[in-house]
């Protein structure tokens, strides 16, 4: 069992409540999409899970146990939005990935593991010697995914990982996410503001607004029969849904 | 220097907040608290100065040959025999009542010494700052417009190089050079302090040149930065004439940002009088503190350090309040 | 790295500074060895002598040669300054990185302490410490070292905080790596350069401060001497022998400047990015517009339909890059008719925003605009700017920019910023203009507009600011609204409101719209016609209705397939486009898309296809191709329905079966 469970999680900064009593479960091997507008608290929830934001109340468990706050490896990993800030510009791709691997193993083993991980995200293993500035945004995001996978996590949190990418390369990253889920049985909390993207990768959807979870359920159900007004509003706003105004 | 001007964004009732929740009141309270803490640190540091000196300061002041009973008497007179806490409280009480102690050298009350010397220093610093501002802001604005968006590469290079060099030259060296050229070689201007207007020229210029170079540089950088801002593009999209864009939209933003630096420069300038006063034998606090350090007249040193420090705190306070009033994003302006 | 250092030395200033620093250090090492005995020699025959052939800078009150003493003093001066710098740097580094390593509370306390200390000028701190540590060389080193520490701590703190906010530090923390280890491994290497540069500048400052203290008599004491001490002695005899004061003064100034300027030049050399983004590059020439092919424009003015609002032909934008001119827009022709909504889509670097800024003449200093025709409502936009044209454009051409947070002047009220248009161009009084502004804010559905007009931009939400921006465009009577990514920075629900508002304005007043976006679906929803841009060219010009079904260019087709929408087949992988978008600084010969295109052949790599009416395109029943693509840039056939233009040798050919998506992505060569 390795389901990620948020139980009544609240995060407050001073007097502002960023996350308000959120309970959410990411089942084993499933991708849960978390949607909401900017400031809805979805990123804060993610950061709380990996220990980057302090919980005010509530608890977050993985397979029933609290998530370790000390020591390595951490079973929960995160991939960030900005491909230009998520890799240390002075470290080679190989070193960045290797840093996340559990300690131990010979040099050759570790190198082989780095190459395996790079291949897993469809990067040429020779990339290992390159510095991030030589990679495109999409390639960097794939390195960030490889780095997250290196820690052998049970769950990965992906925070808007395609929103800073050009449209021609975001498809490759989305395909990769689906493939990793299918082939490795990886569970994932996939955060995005784009309903179409979430629809494509996630089997379940959770909707946040003003720090609260307003709706969650299977993707098809939430998209076809939304229960909350805000979900309906979000759906109506997706471009391409309304019929084009015909002009003379 | 940077104060967070925006209060946390969840007021109880945005229409009618209670008195203590008023943004301006909260700003005032926060700023006052900061001032009091800084003041306390300053006062304590100046008190601690004597006690941090290794060995016996009185013995140090009177010299190794002074008779022991004289040292003891002087120690007693200074209150150095009391427990440290008593001395501290005594010092605080003295400050509150305006008693800064007695000069070891002249036996005059230190407050008299300070009162006598302070005006000369203040005039010097004030005039120098005014000169720097009057020269630097127009210069910086013009240079900013000329070198916007990578224009005028040569002008920019010449200006930055010159301003870096000028800003690097310490005021006392400028002073020495001015004395040599205008005082000795040309004989146009007096080189030592007296109260006549010409006597001000050289000291004021020695003090003002460096800060003027720095300020002009900052204003130029700010101006160039502001001219790259999106809202300048908006102003151009409104098809405003160039002057309306520079004066109406760019200048206020550039000057607001330069204000912080201006405050720091003024602080530096006030303390910079120490060196310049010594070049020109100016009868101010600066020449007094140096003489007192050399003669180990500690009460005077303590008092003058305190005066300079308080001056710096006041300048910072004025800058912060001015920033808060000028910047509409600060919450204290909400009505 | 090598190249960057070479660039430092190549500037005249950098070279001078480097030579000076080397000279000062050499003098410090060699000076006392060469002239040590000469500087100590007492010549009682020549006490306080003026400069002569024997004593170039004269002698002091013991008859010692001043010039030799100045040369010898270099070692002590430089050494003491370096010692003080080391103290500043070490103390500053410890204090500055402490907040990152220590917990939140202790860290904040340290930071507050540093912030308090840094407000006091260095000289005041130095005087304080000089009193505490006593008069003399040791006391002065400690005093200047400690006085410099707060500034260095503050710098370190800022730099550390900057790196700490990067996601790779968050990733390392999420991995469970300790804070101290993160500091050493990720943070310090990334701030080393600015720290070293500032330490160099600090050494120069320390040298000068030391001279200051010695000059006051608080530093080095006789019989030792540094430059400051010599200056102190020389100033006393300045009327007798001026060089005794001037020589050490010049020496200390030269040495201090050497370190300072060396640091500044290194900072400048390293700070400028080596390659990449177009931002920050200088213009080739300030915004003049003299196209090479601007002939006979008077005649064909009559050909155009009076319906045409904006007419663009052969538009080129050139900006200067680090290695020669770069052309982000390479020959774009299109027009916009009254009431028409034209979308421009493309990825970053495709030139779509440059096109928008160029046709509205807002590119100003950033680059040179060339075109064979650029007309808005019959006004030649290539002609020099006049008050009359400013008035026309100011009232009939509206702009909406991407980031509503930065597009308003933060120091002025919203209402005043709108009213400015009316007072400037429409001759209204301040009061009338204000009333008009409130009216326009109401028109863009800003509630309580009267009160809102008196507010500052930061009091508006993002969506509201964007609406106010549209309202600003409505102060006059716009014929065209150019919106550059107007909704990219907004939430989806707000995005919809803004798009609806734009659509309403079009419907009500027959206003034309150019909508620039990276989002094919947004453009497809709002616009009548779509221009697809790639590498500075229009590769396809098609009716929006054709986008999903009848796109002919392989890039357009891939773009449509690559973006998931609410009807994407979940069973299939998304289409991907291999490689990365073309860098405008390095556009290949032939079709720019050939490298990424599954249909590309030898011809594509050699010959750039022109944008021409597609002979088999559904939008053009006549089937007559116009190989120049320019015969009728208006792009409308006689029947008036939009025509389909495409720039591809293989337009509409079936794409090969999608390759198995497992291909390995090779490293892209660095630009």
């Amino acid at each position: 069992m390795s389901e990620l469970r948020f139980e009544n999680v609240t995060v407050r900064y001073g007097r502002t409540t960023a996350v308000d009593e959120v309970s959410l479960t990411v089942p084993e091997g499933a991708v849960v999409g978390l949607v909401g507008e900017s400031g809805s608290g979805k990123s804060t929830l993610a950061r709380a899970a990996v220990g980057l934001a302090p919980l005010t109340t509530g608890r977050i468990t993985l397979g029933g146990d609290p998530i370790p706050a000390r020591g390595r490896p951490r079973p929960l990993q995160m991939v960030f939005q900005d491909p230009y800030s998520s890799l240390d510009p002075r470290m080679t791709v190989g070193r960045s990935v290797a840093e996340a691997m559990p300690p131990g193993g010979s040099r050759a083993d570790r190198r082989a593991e780095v190459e395996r991980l790079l291949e897993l995200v469809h990067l040429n293993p020779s990339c290992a010697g390159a510095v991030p500035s030589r990679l495109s945004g999409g390639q960097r995001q794939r390195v960030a995914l490889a780095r997250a996978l290196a820690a052998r996590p049970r769950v990965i949190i992906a925070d808007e990982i395609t929103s800073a990418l050009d449209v021609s390369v975001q498809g490759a990253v989305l395909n990769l996410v689906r493939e990793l889920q299918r082939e490795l049985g990886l569970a994932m909390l996939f955060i995005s503001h784009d309903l179409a993207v979430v629809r494509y990768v996630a089997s379940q959807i959770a909707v946040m607004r003003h720090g609260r979870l307003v709706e969650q359920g299977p993707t098809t159900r939430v998209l076809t029969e939304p229960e909350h007004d805000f979900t309906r509003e979000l759906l109506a706003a997706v471009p391409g849904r309304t019929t084009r105004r015909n002009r003379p | 220097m940077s104060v967070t001007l925006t209060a946390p964004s969840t007021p109880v009732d945005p229409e009618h907040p209670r008195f203590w929740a008023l943004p301006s009141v909260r700003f005032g309270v926060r700023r006052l608290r900061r001032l009091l803490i800084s003041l306390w640190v300053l006062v304590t540091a100046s008190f601690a100065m004597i006690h941090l000196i290794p060995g016996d300061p009185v013995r140090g002041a009177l010299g190794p040959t002074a008779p022991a009973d004289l040292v003891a008497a002087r120690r007693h007179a200074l209150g150095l025999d009391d427990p440290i806490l008593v001395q501290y409280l005594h010092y605080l009480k003295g400050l509150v009542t305006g008693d800064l102690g007695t000069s070891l050298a002249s036996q005059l009350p230190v407050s008299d010494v300070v009162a006598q010397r302070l005006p000369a220093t203040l005039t010097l610093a004030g005039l120098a700052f005014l000169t720097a501002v009057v020269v630097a802001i127009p210069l910086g604005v013009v240079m900013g417009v000329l070198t916007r968006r990578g224009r005028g590469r040569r002008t920019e290079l010449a200006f930055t190089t010159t301003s870096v060099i000028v800003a690097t030259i310490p005021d006392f060296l400028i002073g020495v050079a001015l004395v040599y050229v205008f005082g000795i070689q040309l004989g146009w201007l007096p080189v030592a302090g007296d109260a006549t207007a010409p006597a001000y020229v050289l000291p004021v210029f020695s003090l003002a040149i460096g800060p003027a170079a720095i300020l002009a540089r900052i204003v130029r950088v700010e101006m160039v930065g502001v001219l790259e801002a999106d809202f300048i593009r908006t102003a151009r999209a409104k098809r405003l004439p160039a002057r309306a864009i520079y004066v109406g939209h760019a200048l206020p933003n550039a000057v607001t940002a330069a204000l912080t630096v201006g405050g720091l420069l003024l602080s530096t300038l006030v303390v910079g009088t120490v060196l310049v006063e010594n070049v020109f034998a100016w009868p101010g606090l600066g020449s007094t503190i140096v003489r007192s350090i050399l003669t180990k007249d500690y009460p005077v040193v303590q008092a003058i350090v305190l005066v300079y420090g308080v001056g710096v705190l006041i300048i910072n306070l004025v800058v912060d309040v001015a920033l808060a009033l000028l910047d509409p994003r600060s919450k204290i302006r909400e009505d | 790295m090598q190249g960057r250092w070479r660039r430092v030395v190549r500037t005249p200033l950098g070279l001078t500074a480097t030579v000076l620093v080397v000279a000062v250090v050499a003098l410090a090492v060699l000076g006392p060895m060469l002239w040590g005995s000469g500087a100590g020699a007492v010549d009682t025959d020549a006490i306080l002598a003026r400069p002569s052939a024997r004593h170039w800078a004269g002698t002091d009150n013991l008859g010692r040669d001043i010039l030799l003493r100045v040369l010898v003093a270099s070692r002590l001066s430089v050494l003491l300054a370096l010692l003080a710098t080391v103290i500043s740097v070490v103390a500053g580094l410890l204090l500055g990185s402490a907040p990152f390593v220590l917990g939140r509370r202790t860290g904040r306390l340290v930071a507050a302490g540093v912030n308090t200390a840094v407000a006091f000028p260095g000289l005041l701190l130095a005087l304080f410490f000089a009193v505490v540590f006593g008069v003399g060389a040791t006391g002065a080193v400690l005093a200047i070292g400690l006085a410099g520490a707060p500034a260095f701590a503050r710098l370190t703190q800022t730099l550390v905080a900057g790196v700490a906010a990067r996601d790779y530090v968050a990733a390392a923390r999420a991995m469970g790596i300790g804070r101290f280890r993160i500091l050493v491994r990720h943070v310090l290497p990334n701030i080393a350069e600015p720290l070293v540069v500032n330490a160099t500048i600090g050494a120069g400052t320390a040298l000068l401060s030391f001279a200051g203290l010695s000059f006051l008599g608080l530093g080095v004491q006789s019989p030792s001497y540094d430059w400051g001490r010599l200056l102190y002695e020389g100033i006393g005899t300045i009327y007798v022998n001026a060089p005794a004061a001037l020589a050490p003064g010049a020496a200390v100034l030269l040495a201090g400047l050497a370190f300072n300027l060396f640091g500044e030049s290194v900072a400048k050399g390293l700070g400028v990015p080596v390659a990449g983004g177009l931002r920050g590059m200088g213009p080739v020439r300030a915004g003049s517009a003299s196209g090479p092919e601007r002939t006979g424009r008077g005649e064909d003015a009559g050909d155009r339909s009076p319906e045409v609002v904006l007419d663009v032909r052969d538009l080129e934008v050139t900006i200067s890059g680090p290695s020669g001119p770069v052309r982000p827009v390479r020959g774009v022709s299109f027009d916009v008719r009254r009431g028409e909504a034209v979308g421009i889509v493309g990825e970053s670097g495709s030139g779509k925003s440059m096109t928008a800024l160029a046709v509205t003449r807002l590119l100003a200093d950033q680059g040179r605009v060339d075109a064979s025709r650029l007309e808005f409502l019959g006004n030649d936009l290539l002609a020099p700017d006049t008050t009359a044209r400013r008035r026309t454009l100011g009232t009939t051409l509206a702009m909406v920019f991407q980031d509503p947070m930065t597009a308003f002047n933060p120091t002025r009220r919203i209402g005043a910023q709108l009213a400015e248009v009316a007072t400037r161009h429409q001759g209204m009084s301040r009061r009338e203009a204000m009333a008009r502004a409130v009216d326009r804010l109401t028109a863009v559905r800003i509630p309580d507009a009267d009160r809102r007009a008196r507010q500052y931009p930061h009091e508006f939400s993002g969506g509201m600011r964007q609406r106010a921006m549209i309202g600003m465009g409505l102060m006059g009577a716009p014929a065209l609204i150019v919106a550059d990514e107007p909704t990219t920075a907004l939430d989806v629900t707000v995005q919809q409101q803004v798009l609806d508002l734009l659509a309403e304005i079009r419907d009500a007043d027959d206003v034309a719209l150019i909508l620039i976006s990276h989002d094919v679906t947004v453009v497809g929803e709002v616009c009548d016609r779509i221009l697809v841009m790639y590498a500075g060219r229009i590769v396809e010009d098609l009716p929006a209705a054709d986008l999903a079904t009848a796109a002919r260019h392989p890039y357009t087709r891939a773009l449509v397939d690559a973006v998931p929408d609410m009807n994407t087949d979940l069973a299939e992988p998304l289409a991907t486009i291999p490689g990365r978008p073309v860098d405008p600084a390095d556009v290949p010969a032939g079709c720019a898309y050939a490298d990424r295109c599954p249909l590309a052949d030898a011809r594509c790599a050699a010959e750039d296809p022109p944008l021409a009416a597609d002979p088999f395109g559904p939008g053009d029943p006549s089937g007559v191709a116009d190989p120049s693509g320019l015969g009728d840039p208006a792009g409308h056939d006689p029947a008036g329905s939009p025509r389909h233009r495409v720039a591809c040798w293989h337009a509409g050919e079936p794409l090969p079966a999608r390759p198995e998506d497992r291909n390995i992505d090779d490293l892209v060569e660095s630009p």
Side-chain angles (χ1 to χ4, degrees), chain B:
Chain B
M1 265 320 279
S2 66
V3 186
T4 320
L5 296 168
T6 42
S9 56
T10 42
V12 190
D13 172 10
E15 298 301 319
H16 303 284
R18 274 167 301 181
F19 177 76
W20 289 109
L22 278 170
S24 48
V25 173
R26 291 161 54 106
F27 170 79
V29 168
R30 218 172 32 243
R31 195 57 192 78
L32 198 65
R33 197 177 58 197
R34 220 165 73 92
L35 180 70
L36 288 177
I37 292 175
S38 305
L39 199 60
W40 173 75
V41 169
L42 181 68
V43 167
T44 310
S46 82
F47 167 76
M49 191 156 69
I50 285 192
H51 300 271
L52 287 171
I53 298 166
D56 180 352
V58 175
R59 168 61 74 189
L62 296 176
T65 53
D69 56 334
L70 179 62
V71 172
R74 185 61 67 77
R75 283 185 63 85
H76 183 72
L78 284 171
L80 288 173
D81 295 336
D82 299 330
I84 190 115
L85 198 66
V86 174
Q87 288 186 44
Y88 185 53
L89 291 176
H90 187 75
Y91 182 71
L92 290 184
K93 192 178 152 218
L95 285 184
V96 173
T97 54
D99 174 13
L100 294 169
T102 309
S103 162
L104 296 182
S106 63
Q107 304 300 331
L108 290 170
V110 174
S111 48
D112 289 1
V113 176
V114 169
Q116 190 195 345
R117 298 291 181 144
L118 184 61
T121 297
L122 275 185
T123 327
L124 186 57
L127 282 176
F129 185 67
L130 269 182
T131 312
V133 168
V134 166
V135 172
I137 290 185
L139 184 63
V141 168
V142 169
M143 287 323 260
V145 170
L146 288 181
T147 61
R148 66 185 189 275
R149 284 201 185 275
R151 277 188 176 200
R153 286 287 168 89
R154 277 158 195 273
T155 319
E156 186 196 336
L157 190 68
F159 174 74
T160 30
T161 309
T162 318
S163 62
V164 168
I165 292 176
V166 171
T168 307
I169 308 175
D171 39 25
F172 69 97
L173 285 184
I174 296 180
V176 171
L178 291 181
V179 164
Y180 177 69
V181 175
F182 293 99
I184 297 176
Q185 289 292 338
L186 302 172
W188 288 355
L189 293 160
V191 297
D194 59 43
T196 59
Y200 278 97
V201 176
L202 293 184
V204 164
F205 270 92
S206 329
L207 264 175
I209 287 176
I214 298 174
L215 194 59
R217 204 176 165 204
I218 300 287
V219 171
R220 185 196 77 88
V221 169
E222 289 297 335
M223 197 71 187
V224 168
V226 168
L227 287 175
E228 299 242 342
D230 282 358
F231 65 82
I232 293 297
R233 192 179 50 189
T234 306
R236 294 202 3 251
K238 282 193 263 182
R239 313 291 163 178
L240 301 180
R243 212 162 45 115
I245 294 176
Y246 298 140
V247 178
H249 286 273
L251 188 60
N253 284 281
V255 168
T256 310
L259 192 62
T260 314
V261 181
L264 277 177
L265 282 178
L266 182 55
S267 302
T268 316
L269 203 144
V270 166
V271 180
T273 52
V274 172
L275 282 154
V276 171
E277 285 183 12
N278 276 280
V279 174
F280 294 96
W282 197 257
L285 289 176
S287 43
T288 312
I289 191 177
V290 171
R291 201 177 325 118
S292 304
I293 291 175
L294 290 172
T295 57
K296 308 208 166 145
D297 191 349
Y298 294 118
V300 176
V301 175
Q302 264 182 323
I304 297 181
V305 165
L306 200 59
V307 170
Y308 280 131
V310 169
V312 169
L313 291 183
I314 291 173
I315 292 165
N316 289 349
L317 181 73
V318 169
V319 168
D320 281 355
V321 172
L323 270 180
L325 291 175
L326 285 176
D327 187 351
R329 277 163 293 191
S330 81
K331 293 270 173 161
I332 71 162
R333 280 196 41 171
E334 277 174 16
D335 25 44

Side-chain angles (χ1 to χ4, degrees), chain C residues 585-602:
Chain C
D586 185 25
V587 179
C591 174
Y593 186 60
D595 270 357
R596 307 172 78 183
C597 180
L599 299 175
D601 58 18

Side-chain angles (χ1 to χ4, degrees), chain C residues 347-367:
Chain C
E347 296 180 84
S348 51
S350 63
K352 55 187 190 308
S353 291
M354 277 287 180
T355 303
L357 291 177
V359 299
T360 49
R361 300 304 282 144
L362 289 173
L363 209 49
D365 306 328
Q366 290 169 64

Side-chain angles (χ1 to χ4, degrees), chain C residues 44 243 250 366 372 388 398 425 466 483 575 598 645:
Chain C
T44 43
Q366 290 169 64
S372 58
H425 297 307
Q466 205 59 305
R645 294 186 297 164

Side-chain angles (χ1 to χ4, degrees), chain A:
Chain A
M1 270 299 280
S2 65
E3 62 172 26
L4 174 67
R5 201 186 258 281
F6 297 82
E7 289 171 35
N8 303 317
V9 170
T10 299
V11 179
R12 276 201 200 99
Y13 292 113
R15 281 193 266 172
T16 357
T17 306
V19 175
D20 192 3
E21 292 280 315
V22 168
S23 296
L24 175 68
T25 304
V26 181
E28 189 165 5
V31 176
V32 173
L34 182 58
V35 295
E37 310 211 305
S38 52
S40 63
K42 49 191 199 308
S43 287
T44 310
L45 189 68
R47 295 176 80 86
V50 292
L52 294 173
L55 290 192
T56 309
T57 57
R59 58 189 215 127
I60 305 174
T61 59
L62 187 62
D65 304 316
I67 295 170
R70 296 188 170 278
R72 308 170 54 190
R74 301 273 177 95
L76 194 60
Q77 287 296 319
M78 184 156 169
V79 182
F80 297 86
Q81 171 175 4
D82 181 2
Y84 293 90
S85 128
S86 71
L87 298 176
D88 187 336
R90 303 212 162 230
M91 269 196 183
T92 62
V93 164
R95 271 185 68 200
S96 278
V97 174
E99 187 185 29
M101 291 181 345
S106 72
R107 222 158 213 255
D109 284 351
R110 291 177 78 83
R111 189 171 309 146
E113 174 69 1
V114 167
E115 290 183 357
R116 186 186 74 81
L117 288 163
L118 289 178
E119 271 180 59
L120 197 62
V121 296
H122 306 316
L123 284 172
N124 191 322
S126 66
C127 284
V131 286
S133 59
R134 292 184 61 200
L135 304 183
S136 70
Q139 286 172 323
R140 287 176 206 216
Q141 280 311 57
R142 281 184 272 166
V143 173
L145 267 170
R147 179 179 59 187
L149 291 171
R152 300 176 198 248
R154 288 187 280 172
V155 180
I156 284 185
I157 297 179
D159 187 3
E160 299 271 13
I161 58 171
T162 60
S163 55
L165 299 180
D166 261 321
V167 282
S168 69
V169 292
Q170 92 162 7
V173 174
L174 292 177
N175 286 342
L176 178 64
V177 165
R178 293 208 330 165
E179 194 183 299
L180 292 174
Q181 189 271 326
R182 259 201 323 265
E183 293 177 11
L184 307 179
L186 198 64
M188 196 177 285
L189 182 62
F190 188 94
I191 299 171
S192 177
H193 67 281
D194 187 335
L195 266 181
V197 165
V198 168
R199 169 184 172 274
Y200 188 68
V201 296
S203 55
Q204 291 189 46
I205 289 187
V207 183
M208 275 186 83
R209 186 188 203 193
H210 301 329
R212 290 175 175 276
L213 202 64
V214 297
E215 177 159 10
Q216 61 178 312
T219 303
T220 34
R221 203 274 299 151
V222 173
L223 296 185
T224 50
E225 303 157 39
E227 281 166 3
H228 196 276
D229 282 346
F230 178 66
T231 316
R232 274 191 279 276
E233 207 183 312
L234 270 184
L235 275 167
V238 173
R241 297 267 294 180
T242 46
T243 35
R244 251 173 40 78
R245 267 163 274 270
N246 278 320
R247 294 176 55 80

